[in-house]
Amino acid sequence: MIRNQLLICAGGACITSGEKSVKDVLVEELAKNGIQDEVQIIETGCMGACDLGPIVVVYPEGTFYQKVTPQNAGPIVSEHLVKGRVVSGLLYRQPTSETRAQTREEISFYTLQVKRVLRNCGVIDPLSIEEYIARDGYFGLGKALEIGPDAIIQTIQESGLRGRGGAGFPTGIKWKAARDASGSPKYVVCNGDEGDPGAFMDRSVLEGDPHSVIEAMVIAGFAIGAATGYVYVRAEYPLAIERLEVALTRAREYGFLGRNILGSGFDFDIEIRIGAGAFVCGEETALLRSIEGKRGMPSAKPPFPAQAGLWGKPTLINNVETYANVPPILINGAEWFRSVGTAKSPGTKVFALAGKVQNTGLVEVPMGTTLRELVFDIGGGIPGGKAFKGAQTGGPSGGIITADYLDMPIDFDSVKELGTIMGSGGLIILDEDNCMVDVAKFYLAFTVDESCGKCTPCREGTKQMYQIMERITDGKGTPNDIGKLKTLGRVIQQTSLCGLGQSAPNPVLSTIRFFPDEYRAHIEDRKCPAHACLHLLTYSVVSEKCVGCTACARQCPVQAITGQVKKAHVIDQATCIKCGSCYEVCRFDAILKE
Amino acid sequence: MEPDKKVQSPEKATALSVEDRAFLQEVVERDRVEHHGRVSYMDILFEVEHRYGNFLPGEVLREVARLVGTSVAQLNGFVTFYTMLSTKPRGRHVIRVCTSGPCHVTGAPAVMAELERLLGVGEGETTPDGAFTLEGSSCLGICGVSPALMIDDDAYGNLTPKDLPGILAAVRAGGAQ
């Protein structure tokens, strides 16, 4: 007889924080106390609050234990489960008061979220199809088979669901185009090549709720008339591949995949295809080439995949998060889906909070939520009392949303007006220590590296832009560099073959637009206001403050600091490697960093 | 993107043993059955790479090309496009330091620099004892615990340079985390 359940977050981040050892300790403690038959341990998918991991939740109470370690996990069994006493030391401490939260419902990181895509992540065992079914799993498929392809597509169209992979294209239109396309066989593809730096919602869905994607793909197959589906997952996500494989096997055993699904006469099966570290494969035409066993190079559209996709056949391709939205829409209807979000971007969006923010992790909120709510209410603000400078969205294809727009509702269209894109939902929070020129250069380096080389504007143009950016951060910029960057950027945007090149200039153009002073400081004053660009940084000794303690001279790895004991020291600028160790070690505030 | 000269070398092509040939044939045939006649190059190459010390020797690629029914040029083009496949020898363990945005702003450059110092090799190089190859990686998707890295299939997060000696020692000793 099971009286308690222990949910342990086995998402990718919690595993790196030691989830496996925590689980081992809990199993051992249960046996030691003789209650292993009364308590069930369930390893779930990602619970979202990655910085609090490893996380253990005790049911039925829902007690939320965070930052559990193998050393402090024991009392969860010996105190909580044996004696009924909550282990208060492991509860989450509310940031604004001395009180501690007992359950997820008391933590603002969770209470402000609306979990639709992540409905099962962190709640069920992703390896158990029974648990998925118990949460209305495959009910949407049942309904889909009943109402037929036209009604399915009509429901998706009415819901207003837009592609969560970045561009926000209406999903229903894609489905209809694939259904209407002539040609056979047709294919259904799931784009799980989540390459945007800082976005990890697709990984979490595949790891935490793989059946939701499988169910949606079967529905899609039925709607467009396909018999084969492919899930394209990156090799960087071995856990997602492993859990997806298990889920596919279970789904076949239960008759949700294979021949004559649920007695409907409809046949459909899914295969996994693996990507191996080429960012451009997230672009749909490139991804299809990769599945075909070719170099993942994009091709011009039209023809769109819906007309000529895999092996030249009509192909429906959607992203993981988009698919995960589909089963609940079929169960609850289009109206339900539109009940949250904005008129033009209904539903929720999963964001990945990362960078300089207190609470990192995955959060799902209605479209139209403001950046302030995301960063400060849910994210808990910026660590160390630093100032919020901006949020980088859309990875290397996006730009910056600045502090001036903290109260703007975020949806596909509002962010586009700011010259950035929603992308797949990565939000990298930047604070006053981040140099915007450096950040833009960093993303440009990424696109230069990942450009497949097929079209000239992307291959050559991004390289030219990068060289100018490098010149600026090296302190060799010229006043007309900004104009050159803008012109070059526009040409690349307008003439590149695929989305990678068309969006590659965005980080640079966006930072020039919102932080022109920073660019000017680099070019005209040869200074980096954020002290991030090493070539523009100098360390010097303020002789009035220096007491000659010699601490800096002893710390300096290249012996660039000289001076007699109890006399002011001097840093030789030619030798200094700008490592900052003198700045760190000085107790008299005598090192000037500028 | 430079072509692997070994691929064109006929004398190397004969270097495969009977066991090698049987292994490769078995991998390709199994994949063909699993994928209903349409082989997945990636699955085959990952499995083959695993057996041949984390890289794809030219003579092996040549045999795989023959077995799957494509040209060596086509297969070589495929292999050199994807950064996780290698035609150059790599170490027993491949360290992939995430160099993407969130990790960059939270300290990945310092992690990479410390690994270069500890291993005595630069990014993209292999230690002389053949234990480790150090690579930069695209986003590993564990940004919540950035900076992060993966060694083979195991991920490590919330890294500081001082965590690295312990991690390397554990991997050398054969244990994961």
Side-chain angles (χ1 to χ4, degrees), chain B residues 52-86:
Chain B
Y52 292 96
N54 279 327
F55 89 110
L56 296 159
E59 60 272 28
V60 170
L61 268 188
R62 196 182 185 86
E63 178 67 4
V64 172
R66 192 183 68 79
L67 289 166
V68 300
T70 189
S71 69
V72 180
Q74 157 79 18
L75 193 65
N76 203 42
F78 182 86
V79 169
T80 52
F81 188 80
Y82 298 96
T83 54
M84 291 178 81
L85 297 171
S86 180

Side-chain angles (χ1 to χ4, degrees), chain A residues 257-475:
Chain A
L257 276 179
R259 296 218 166 271
N260 192 16
I261 292 171
L262 298 179
S264 65
F266 168 59
D267 305 335
F268 190 79
D269 212 332
I270 296 174
E271 287 181 19
I272 299 173
R273 291 290 160 124
I274 299 171
F279 175 72
V280 73
C281 288
E283 200 280 335
E284 55 186 16
T285 59
L287 185 148
L288 297 176
R289 295 299 85 75
S290 181
I291 292 180
E292 291 171 356
K294 296 180 182 144
R295 295 165 74 91
M297 292 209 198
S299 48
K301 293 187 279 192
F304 292 95
Q307 285 104 39
L310 263 187
W311 294 291
K313 302 294 181 188
T315 302
L316 172 69
I317 174 164
N318 285 129
N319 138 288
V320 171
E321 189 184 336
T322 314
Y323 279 127
N325 268 299
V326 167
I329 293 177
L330 282 164
I331 296 173
N332 303 309
E335 274 312 302
W336 166 83
F337 185 74
R338 302 190 74 98
S339 66
V340 302
T342 61
K344 285 189 171 168
S345 304
T348 60
K349 179 78 194 82
V350 184
F351 288 98
L353 280 177
K356 306 286 185 63
V357 62
Q358 203 78 46
N359 307 328
T360 56
L362 270 196
V363 299
E364 182 173 2
V365 292
M367 287 276 192
T369 299
T370 66
L371 194 56
R372 186 183 301 282
E373 291 169 298
L374 275 165
V375 176
F376 291 93
D377 299 340
I378 296 174
I382 315 297
K386 302 260 169 125
F388 170 83
K389 192 167 184 178
Q392 213 282 344
T393 73
S397 311
I400 308 276
I401 303 178
T402 60
D404 292 343
Y405 298 94
L406 271 171
D407 294 308
M408 181 192 75
I410 298 179
D411 67 13
F412 284 114
D413 309 302
S414 68
V415 294
K416 208 175 262 176
E417 279 167 29
L418 293 182
T420 179
I421 59 163
M422 173 94 79
S424 45
L427 272 181
I428 301 169
I429 310 305
L430 306 168
D431 70 7
E432 54 191 277
D433 293 340
N434 292 118
C435 166
M436 292 300 155
V437 184
D438 177 62
V439 168
K441 185 181 87 169
F442 173 79
Y443 279 109
L444 201 55
F446 180 84
T447 7
V448 168
D449 199 37
E450 293 294 344
S451 170
C452 79
K454 183 170 174 177
C455 74
T456 316
C458 176
R459 185 185 66 239
E460 303 296 335
T462 55
K463 182 100 187 161
Q464 292 302 321
M465 282 183 82
Y466 183 77
Q467 281 168 358
I468 298 176
M469 292 296 283
E470 200 159 44
R471 202 153 74 206
I472 295 174
T473 54
D474 282 355

